[in-house]
Amino acid sequence: MAKQNYIELKNVAKTYTDGFTAVSNINLTIEKGSFVTLLGPSGCGKTTILKMLGGFETVTDGTIKVNDLIINDLPPNRRPISTVFQDYALFPNLTVTENIKFGLKLMRVPLEKGKIKDFSGEIIKLKREWKNKADKEIEGLQGDVGKINKKLLRIQSKYDRKPEWAAIKNLRWANYENKVLQLEEAKRNKLKNGEIYLDEKLTPNSTKFDKDYIALKKAFLSKQHIDKEVDIIKRKLSDKIGWISYWQNYTDLQVENYEKKYTTRPISKKEIKARVKDIIEKVGLTGKENKFPSDLSGGMQQRVALARSIVIEPEIILLDEPLSALDAKVRHQMQLELKRLHKELGLTFVLVTHDQEEALSLSTKVVVMSDGKIQQIGTPNEVYDTPTNKWVANFIGKANFFDAKFANNKLIFEGIKFNNTSAALAKQNPSEALLIVRPEDINIVAPTKGFIKGKIAEVIYKGLMYEVRCEWNDQEIQIETTSQIEKGKIVGLTWALDDTYAVAKPKEEANAK
């Protein structure tokens, strides 16, 4: 039986009021009961996605569904979701037991059928009153929105007075810094130097990139007085639109609260005690019930945070880099604990991390992200063994890249032909490609028996294996081996053809030649 797509993100984007786009065009499905990890470097947008799922950030574009229900406008407390934060967020003045049962005190459970009273007549009258109130509020707010939009258009028209302003009117500080970094990288690639920066003043040696940067900086700084006006008006507009959304849902919210009052009851003290006892045993906190967070280690505090999220019986657990503050040994123990709890509870886990090993060891699906976009979605084996591009291969573990020619679905490297195993590469059919060989897949052999011949530049003992650097044709090759090798030795390097995977060569590298 096919697994149910329980969480769906369709064309989801988040753009802040300063114009910075944190994520764009995110399309992702998450199956019920799976363990999905959003993996990427700092600033790639993974935490933004988690916050939008949890209701702590609004969605600018697109839709988020849980079990076919669009949850874009649902507040966090109405979502079937619980979040474990990076800093634990425990109440320091409450014991372990009190921290865990805190959310249960606010919960309600359905009443037995015989105890539910008939309130149908009363609710018809109240719904009419609530709708009339909401319609009146919406009418007033829509009038305000119309006035604000006219004012916004009037202010924005000032950008058209200068061509250099019109071109960058949506540029704010974060986007500006990103454009400067892109110009700097383009200059660095052009001049083949790792220590190149943009010139602040024009000189006879200034490049086109320097001129573009100086023009960009001048235009950006000169329009900031208009940006301030525009951003203030946009915040007012966003506030009004937010209230319109509230009043559009007002009647439904009131009906829900009214029905809850007459169809549900608070959880009893006996039920709370039983639930807390059960979850304390599950997460390994027995004997710590009366301790305060300050009396616990980081690992134990994280167990409390997990227990507090699980005890309210959510359908989805969001994990925002929950293990990043722990030392290596405790972190590994908690990884095993997370994996056990996921299997035992059968909940849907969504984890955010920048730790590749953590993502590969815990997940059923890994979503690799960079610059606010998804680079690859796949099982841990797929993203490691068959990366979609050079960036993913470089980010997930270690990788060696070798230039190869591509023709007739064959890869040619140093006169040797390799069968292409990548359907994506065959579809792209580039003339140049990159062979990807992991350090652990390379064998050190006699100089005459290798695909290539190199010199051992460095050998580092790592306990279970040696980390070796080998120099070949001005390229540094990484090798991991259990055999000791002498520094300075000339060796041959080979690998099994089945361990070779290839991706298209990035355009900027192909064009640089």
Side-chain angles (χ1 to χ4, degrees), residues 332-453:
H332 179 66
Q333 290 172 345
M334 285 304 298
Q335 286 172 355
L336 296 175
E337 197 68 21
L338 275 177
K339 199 160 188 173
R340 180 186 67 79
L341 284 169
H342 172 254
K343 186 176 181 181
E344 186 176 323
L345 299 170
L347 303 176
T348 304
F349 278 30
V350 182
L351 169 71
V352 158
T353 185
H354 59 268
D355 187 311
Q356 299 96 321
E357 184 182 337
E358 188 168 280
L360 296 177
S361 62
L362 292 177
S363 316
T364 55
K365 179 191 283 187
V366 180
V367 181
V368 187
M369 294 189 63
S370 170
D371 296 327
K373 296 178 181 178
I374 293 174
Q375 297 291 327
Q376 184 172 357
I377 301 173
T379 64
N381 283 351
E382 286 169 345
V383 297
Y384 186 79
D385 294 331
T386 59
T388 54
N389 55 46
K390 183 181 180 181
W391 191 91
V392 174
N394 222 5
F395 184 73
I396 306 286
K398 299 174 183 177
N400 296 293
F401 301 97
F402 300 101
D403 291 335
K405 298 295 181 184
F406 187 73
N408 300 320
N409 208 29
K410 295 280 186 182
L411 295 147
I412 304 165
F413 169 69
E414 293 295 298
I416 307 163
K417 285 188 178 181
F418 295 82
N419 288 323
N420 171 43
T421 58
S422 169
L425 189 64
K427 188 176 180 180
Q428 289 174 277
N429 195 29
S431 59
E432 294 181 277
L434 290 175
L435 286 180
I436 302 170
V437 185
R438 298 292 184 182
E440 65 272 20
D441 292 329
I442 294 180
N443 301 311
I444 299 173
V445 296
T448 56
K449 293 185 178 180
F451 295 147
I452 56 177
K453 184 165 64 176

Side-chain angles (χ1 to χ4, degrees), residues 48 74-76 119 164 171 192 205 231 237 239 264 361 363 384 398-399 412 422-423 432 469 481 497:
T48 302
L74 282 182
F119 55 87
E164 62 268 31
L171 204 66
K192 303 290 185 184
N205 295 323
D231 291 346
L237 182 63
D239 184 56
T264 65
S361 62
S363 316
Y384 186 79
K398 299 174 183 177
I412 304 165
S422 169
E432 294 181 277
R469 282 195 307 109
T481 177
L497 299 186

Side-chain angles (χ1 to χ4, degrees), residues 206-448:
S206 291
T207 65
K208 176 184 178 296
F209 306 112
D210 299 315
K211 294 172 185 176
D212 289 347
Y213 161 62
I214 290 169
L216 177 69
K217 183 178 181 181
K218 184 179 178 182
F220 177 73
L221 294 176
S222 64
K223 76 176 180 69
Q224 285 190 314
H225 63 287
I226 302 177
D227 292 344
K228 188 174 180 181
E229 288 184 80
V230 168
D231 291 346
I232 289 171
I233 294 298
K234 279 186 174 179
R235 282 195 290 272
K236 288 181 180 178
L237 182 63
S238 178
D239 184 56
K240 295 291 182 182
I241 291 171
W243 276 109
I244 287 174
S245 177
Y246 168 77
W247 286 108
Q248 285 173 336
N249 292 288
Y250 178 75
T251 303
D252 290 339
L253 286 170
Q254 294 302 107
V255 169
E256 184 180 320
N257 290 334
Y258 194 81
E259 288 178 344
K260 189 184 290 183
K261 180 180 177 181
Y262 290 103
T263 61
T264 65
R265 61 170 176 81
I267 301 178
S268 69
K269 289 182 179 180
K270 184 178 179 181
E271 289 168 318
I272 289 175
K273 186 177 180 180
R275 279 206 203 183
V276 171
K277 183 177 183 294
D278 179 58
I279 203 65
I280 280 175
E281 290 174 357
K282 274 188 169 70
V283 300
L285 285 168
T286 303
K288 313 287 185 186
E289 294 89 342
N290 297 317
K291 290 187 178 293
F292 291 92
S294 58
D295 300 325
L296 302 174
S297 65
M300 285 297 170
Q301 288 185 52
Q302 192 55 273
R303 288 173 190 264
V304 179
L306 270 170
R308 186 180 58 186
S309 293
I310 293 167
V311 76
I312 60 174
E313 298 181 352
E315 296 168 18
I316 302 161
I317 299 284
L318 304 181
L319 302 150
D320 184 12
E321 301 208 47
L323 312 181
S324 61
L326 305 178
D327 62 52
K329 186 176 181 181
V330 177
R331 185 175 185 137
H332 179 66
Q333 290 172 345
M334 285 304 298
Q335 286 172 355
L336 296 175
E337 197 68 21
L338 275 177
K339 199 160 188 173
R340 180 186 67 79
L341 284 169
H342 172 254
K343 186 176 181 181
E344 186 176 323
L345 299 170
L347 303 176
T348 304
F349 278 30
V350 182
L351 169 71
V352 158
T353 185
H354 59 268
D355 187 311
Q356 299 96 321
E357 184 182 337
E358 188 168 280
L360 296 177
S361 62
L362 292 177
S363 316
T364 55
K365 179 191 283 187
V366 180
V367 181
V368 187
M369 294 189 63
S370 170
D371 296 327
K373 296 178 181 178
I374 293 174
Q375 297 291 327
Q376 184 172 357
I377 301 173
T379 64
N381 283 351
E382 286 169 345
V383 297
Y384 186 79
D385 294 331
T386 59
T388 54
N389 55 46
K390 183 181 180 181
W391 191 91
V392 174
N394 222 5
F395 184 73
I396 306 286
K398 299 174 183 177
N400 296 293
F401 301 97
F402 300 101
D403 291 335
K405 298 295 181 184
F406 187 73
N408 300 320
N409 208 29
K410 295 280 186 182
L411 295 147
I412 304 165
F413 169 69
E414 293 295 298
I416 307 163
K417 285 188 178 181
F418 295 82
N419 288 323
N420 171 43
T421 58
S422 169
L425 189 64
K427 188 176 180 180
Q428 289 174 277
N429 195 29
S431 59
E432 294 181 277
L434 290 175
L435 286 180
I436 302 170
V437 185
R438 298 292 184 182
E440 65 272 20
D441 292 329
I442 294 180
N443 301 311
I444 299 173
V445 296
T448 56

Side-chain angles (χ1 to χ4, degrees), residues 85-128:
F85 298 100
Q86 186 175 348
D87 60 357
Y88 316 142
L90 301 177
F91 297 108
N93 58 321
L94 301 182
T95 64
V96 167
T97 297
E98 290 166 341
N99 262 287
I100 293 171
K101 74 180 183 183
F102 185 84
L104 290 174
K105 291 180 179 179
L106 306 175
M107 284 184 64
R108 300 178 70 88
V109 294
L111 279 171
E112 295 78 3
K113 286 185 178 180
K115 294 183 179 180
I116 299 174
K117 78 168 206 174
D118 181 18
F119 55 87
S120 55
E122 192 175 354
I123 198 119
I124 290 171
K125 179 184 174 184
L126 288 171
K127 279 175 75 173
R128 195 180 303 118

Side-chain angles (χ1 to χ4, degrees), residues 15-21 156 159 165-173 175-176 220 223 227 230-231 234:
T15 300
Y16 291 94
T17 52
D18 65 356
F20 175 68
T21 299
Q156 285 180 321
Y159 286 124
W165 285 356
I168 59 170
K169 63 183 180 181
N170 292 321
L171 204 66
R172 295 299 184 266
W173 184 251
N175 307 71
Y176 167 75
F220 177 73
K223 76 176 180 69
D227 292 344
V230 168
D231 291 346
K234 279 186 174 179

